[in-house]
């Protein structure tokens, strides 16, 4: 019997393939919003790493309203930090599964120069707030029900796949995961990124 991770990985790959076949992207004439990152998933991979560091590129200055305060959160607020951006929704079962894993890793790495930032998509604000409160999530989230903030993740970023996680070194895209994550998936990458100069 297939594991949940395998099923999610296969589903993510199928969604990406379907989007490419049916043209469900932002189009060739889309304007990148300040970054140079264009997402590609070679062979339908669900964990993509961008190495060596010299090959990495930037995204735009992601921003949007804080889920709780409505004040604008800017990616540039975290300049100089390794940043993990997690796209999630309270309606998403794999997101609920990975939330405690992400929270564990955030608690381990926040004092090592790592910041986590959620982007809550296609959601109801009250339900999303309850979800964050119930799970005692300590890192902020942008409330983005219409997924407008995601344009800064690159014009080909798979907005139809939730959850996804993008990890930035102190300024550029180092990895993208198209699946729910476990703490063990993230620790080796964060160990490496926090020691890179």
């Amino acid at each position: 019997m297939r594991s949940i991770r395998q099923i999610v990985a296969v589903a993510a790959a199928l969604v990406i393939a379907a989007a490419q076949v049916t043209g469900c992207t932002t189009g060739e004439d889309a304007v990148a919003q300040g970054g140079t990152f264009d997402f590609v998933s070679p062979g339908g991979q669900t964990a993509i790493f961008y190495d060596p560091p010299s090959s990495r590129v930037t995204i735009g200055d992601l921003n949007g309203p804080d889920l709780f305060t409505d004040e604008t959160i800017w990616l540039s607020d975290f300049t100089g930090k390794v940043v993990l951006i997690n796209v999630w929704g309270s309606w998403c079962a794999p997101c609920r599964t990975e939330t405690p894993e992400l929270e564990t890793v955030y608690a381990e790495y926040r004092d090592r120069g790592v910041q986590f930032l959620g982007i809550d998509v296609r959601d109801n604000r009250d339900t999303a707030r309850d979800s964050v409160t119930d799970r005692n999530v300590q890192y902020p989230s942008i409330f983005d029900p219409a997924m407008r903030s995601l344009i800064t993740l690159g014009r080909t970023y798979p907005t139809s796949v939730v959850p996804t996680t993008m990890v930035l070194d102190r300024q550029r895209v180092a990895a993208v995961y198209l699946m729910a994550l476990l703490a063990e998936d993230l620790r080796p990458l964060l160990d490496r990124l926090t020691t890179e100069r």
Side-chain angles (χ1 to χ4, degrees):
M1 187 169 157
R2 288 186 168 187
S3 72
I4 292 174
R5 290 183 63 138
Q6 289 172 318
I7 292 168
V8 170
V10 169
L14 290 174
V15 168
I16 291 167
Q20 290 170 343
V21 169
T22 59
C24 296
T25 62
T26 55
E28 293 300 314
D29 58 343
V31 177
Q33 303 294 309
T36 56
F37 180 71
D38 273 329
F39 176 79
V40 176
S41 176
Q45 294 177 27
T46 56
I48 302 100
F49 301 94
Y50 300 92
D51 287 304
S54 60
S55 70
R56 298 175 190 157
V57 295
T58 61
I59 62 170
D61 192 8
L62 174 72
N63 67 86
D66 183 280
L67 176 63
F68 285 90
T69 68
D70 216 30
E71 293 180 18
T72 302
I73 298 173
W74 293 86
L75 179 60
S76 57
D77 293 339
F78 311 121
T79 297
K81 295 188 175 197
V82 171
V83 180
L84 180 146
I85 301 166
N86 177 251
V87 180
W88 67 280
S90 64
W91 47 268
C92 162
C95 300
R96 292 191 297 272
T97 300
E98 81 172 349
T99 297
E101 299 283 327
L102 294 177
E103 188 58 34
T104 295
V105 175
Y106 180 59
E108 292 173 8
Y109 285 85
R110 63 202 260 175
D111 292 335
R112 294 174 58 184
V114 177
Q115 176 64 51
F116 281 26
L117 176 63
I119 304 177
D120 176 36
V121 298
R122 301 195 304 259
D123 217 340
N124 170 281
R125 190 171 218 149
D126 290 336
T127 305
R129 285 175 173 169
D130 288 346
S131 179
V132 166
T133 301
D134 291 347
R135 289 168 178 78
N136 197 29
V137 176
Q138 298 299 303
Y139 53 87
S141 277
I142 289 172
F143 181 60
D144 189 19
M147 302 193 301
R148 290 188 183 100
S149 298
L150 296 186
I151 190 70
T152 57
L153 300 184
R155 62 187 180 136
T156 56
Y157 195 79
T159 58
S160 59
V161 180
V162 179
T164 64
T165 299
M166 175 183 280
V167 183
L168 310 178
D169 64 15
R170 288 172 176 81
Q171 57 184 334
R172 302 158 302 176
V173 180
V176 173
Y177 298 92
L178 305 176
M179 59 186 182
L181 295 172
L182 299 173
E184 64 198 45
D185 297 321
L186 289 169
R187 288 184 182 116
L189 176 66
L190 294 178
D191 285 340
R192 184 160 52 87
L193 293 179
T194 54
T195 58
E196 281 182 2
R197 296 288 172 228

